[in-house]
Amino acid sequence: MVVTAEQLAGCVAELVRIPSVNPLHRGPIAEAAGPIGEAAIARHLAERLSSLGADDVVLDDVDEGRPNVYARFDGRTDRLVVLDVHTDTVTVEHMTDPPFDGRIDDEFVWGRGALDTKASLGVILALLEQWRADGVTTQPTLLVVGSVCEEAGGLLGAGRFRDWIREHGHRIDQLVVAEPTELAPIHGHKGGAIIEVTVHGKAAHSALPDLGANAIEAMAHVIAAYEAEHRRLQTIEPTTELGTSTLSVTEISGGTGGNVIPAECRITVGQRVVPGQVAHECHERLIEIAHEASPLPVTCRSLLPAQPDGTFGSEAFYQPPDGELVRTLAESAGTSPTVAPFGTNALRYGGLARELCVFGPGRIDDAHQATERVAIADLVRLASCYEAWLTPT
């Protein structure tokens, strides 16, 4: 029996109705719906996956009340493949639709997370239920992962899963990271380094500016230096389809009043890291530029958590597009492999699997909007792709 569109839509809607807003995106609307964070959906997943015959289910606390979920389904072989789906969602405070109603119409499932990324989680749950009813066993051993903290907070769930795999000595053959990619397998995206820069000056009356040290004016030199570095990066010949590295100042704050020389100014600056660059070196270069350019004292801090080796920043994810995993998913979806401008949990999975790609239904352009929906037709297509991957004939 083939899993139906109604089954697929129902499984996705059920997950949408469980709020799982990232704690860094909390707000009054989300708080009124229930506890913030991924604990409720993690418990639901653990129970659901156990009921579907998982051979082992683990709740692994990443932070207080924020567990990853790992569920293993033994296959006809011991070749291990992983589907990683993040369980947190972005804010609902700007939504114009009911965020957690999970309503279904003729074409879509609606609600926060329906697209990003509960669609992928709902589809695999529906398939596992149907396979269990039909006595179907996947060819590879499948590990379904529900990871926390993808939308904000430094990909802590992915980092913890990476460490868990290594602690247990598992060898992953293929790993799919679920994200909206229009069902085109993503075989590369940029990494990143991001820091906060603070210039420290001295306050004074603006009528007597020479008695102070203007932190905003000093920061202008720093911003100009970052602009120059961005222009330099554009002159470097790209080595892959990901193009050149880019650098952007994205936030600025400073000053306390219109008649006060500002004693402090703060910016956020980030660099998108491409293959061939070392993320930690990019991180250190961002700090170096700030110190070189500012005529006043500067402090800098990373806005990403440290890697296990104590370095900061995330390397780019890239592999050739002709691998078996990418080819299987592209052929079953009728799409072509590509690369992406956005980052995902794949930034924590370098070297963890023989093959890695990012894959899922819907467009990333439609994520994080005031309304969110996923096309039921895309859920049906995704189910066919998972079947080609996990139960090949």
Side-chain angles (χ1 to χ4, degrees), residues 144-227:
V144 178
V145 175
S147 54
V148 304
C149 198
E150 192 275 342
E151 293 292 5
L155 310 181
L156 296 182
R160 173 57 199 151
F161 173 61
R162 173 199 60 206
D163 295 344
W164 184 86
I165 283 289
R166 290 173 175 166
E167 288 165 7
H168 288 78
H170 297 311
R171 298 174 64 87
I172 300 174
D173 188 57
Q174 297 176 336
L175 197 165
V176 173
V177 175
E179 288 288 350
T181 70
E182 299 182 79
L183 294 175
I186 301 296
H187 63 95
H189 60 62
K190 295 177 181 179
I194 183 168
I195 66 170
E196 180 185 82
V197 179
T198 304
V199 171
H200 304 277
K202 180 183 177 183
H205 198 294
S206 63
L208 301 165
D210 291 345
L211 297 180
N214 194 311
I216 290 177
E217 291 178 355
M219 187 65 84
H221 294 274
V222 177
I223 293 172
Y226 284 137
E227 290 174 346

Side-chain angles (χ1 to χ4, degrees), residues 12 65 68 70 89 110 157 168 171 178 187 218 234 236 250 259 265 306 348 366 368 373 383:
V12 175
N68 283 349
Y70 316 135
T89 71
W110 295 79
H168 288 78
R171 298 174 64 87
H187 63 95
Q234 305 320 294
I236 300 173
T250 55
N259 60 352
C265 185
R348 294 291 179 267
D366 296 327
H368 303 186
R373 65 184 189 179

Side-chain angles (χ1 to χ4, degrees), residues 51-392:
S51 74
L52 295 175
D55 295 280
D56 188 33
V57 177
V58 175
L59 283 168
D60 183 20
D61 280 330
V62 178
D63 201 352
E64 185 176 356
R66 304 183 70 188
N68 283 349
V69 182
Y70 316 135
R72 190 188 80 251
F73 293 83
D74 288 341
R76 301 194 300 273
T77 71
D78 59 4
R79 183 171 68 90
L80 179 63
V81 302
V82 174
L83 175 64
D84 169 48
V85 188
H86 70 81
T87 53
D88 61 325
T89 71
V90 295
T91 181
V92 298
E93 303 308 309
H94 63 297
M95 290 193 71
T96 55
D97 254 0
F100 307 119
D101 69 344
R103 75 182 184 279
I104 302 170
D105 62 25
D106 292 338
E107 298 183 73
F108 301 97
V109 181
W110 295 79
R112 181 58 86 221
L115 174 70
D116 186 11
T117 54
K118 294 178 180 180
S120 298
L121 197 52
V123 167
I124 196 62
L125 289 174
L127 284 171
L128 287 166
E129 182 175 39
Q130 190 63 56
W131 291 337
R132 181 172 173 80
D134 295 345
V136 173
T137 301
T138 60
Q139 184 190 76
T141 292
L142 170 65
L143 187 64
V144 178
V145 175
S147 54
V148 304
C149 198
E150 192 275 342
E151 293 292 5
L155 310 181
L156 296 182
R160 173 57 199 151
F161 173 61
R162 173 199 60 206
D163 295 344
W164 184 86
I165 283 289
R166 290 173 175 166
E167 288 165 7
H168 288 78
H170 297 311
R171 298 174 64 87
I172 300 174
D173 188 57
Q174 297 176 336
L175 197 165
V176 173
V177 175
E179 288 288 350
T181 70
E182 299 182 79
L183 294 175
I186 301 296
H187 63 95
H189 60 62
K190 295 177 181 179
I194 183 168
I195 66 170
E196 180 185 82
V197 179
T198 304
V199 171
H200 304 277
K202 180 183 177 183
H205 198 294
S206 63
L208 301 165
D210 291 345
L211 297 180
N214 194 311
I216 290 177
E217 291 178 355
M219 187 65 84
H221 294 274
V222 177
I223 293 172
Y226 284 137
E227 290 174 346
E229 177 67 2
H230 171 76
R231 290 192 297 271
R232 185 191 71 81
L233 292 170
Q234 305 320 294
T235 67
I236 300 173
E237 188 70 22
T239 59
T240 71
E241 309 95 304
L242 288 170
T244 61
S245 178
T246 59
L247 191 156
S248 304
V249 176
T250 55
E251 291 181 305
I252 185 167
S253 62
T256 56
N259 60 352
V260 180
I261 298 298
E264 190 172 275
C265 185
R266 183 177 294 110
I267 64 169
T268 299
V269 59
Q271 183 173 346
R272 296 289 176 164
V273 176
V274 297
Q277 292 180 316
V278 178
H280 185 64
E281 292 179 358
C282 296
H283 172 268
E284 293 302 301
R285 179 59 183 152
L286 292 178
I287 294 172
E288 183 181 35
I289 289 171
H291 283 284
E292 289 177 349
S294 176
L296 294 175
V298 168
T299 57
C300 302
R301 69 181 183 95
S302 175
L303 296 180
L304 293 176
Q307 297 298 314
D309 62 0
T311 62
F312 293 92
S314 299
E315 308 296 340
F317 147 58
Y318 184 82
Q319 64 180 28
D322 56 357
E324 176 191 353
L325 175 61
V326 168
R327 187 173 63 252
T328 296
L329 294 175
E331 289 176 357
S332 59
T335 57
S336 298
T338 187
V339 295
F342 54 86
T344 73
N345 276 349
L347 294 177
R348 294 291 179 267
Y349 297 150
L352 199 65
R354 183 178 64 84
E355 293 185 85
L356 172 66
C357 80
V358 182
F359 183 75
R363 303 189 316 152
I364 195 68
D365 307 26
D366 296 327
H368 303 186
Q369 300 290 339
T371 62
E372 186 171 343
R373 65 184 189 179
V374 66
I376 296 173
D378 283 348
L379 302 180
V380 174
R381 289 177 65 202
L382 178 62
S384 295
C385 295
Y386 284 168
E387 287 179 316
W389 176 37
L390 299 170
T391 60

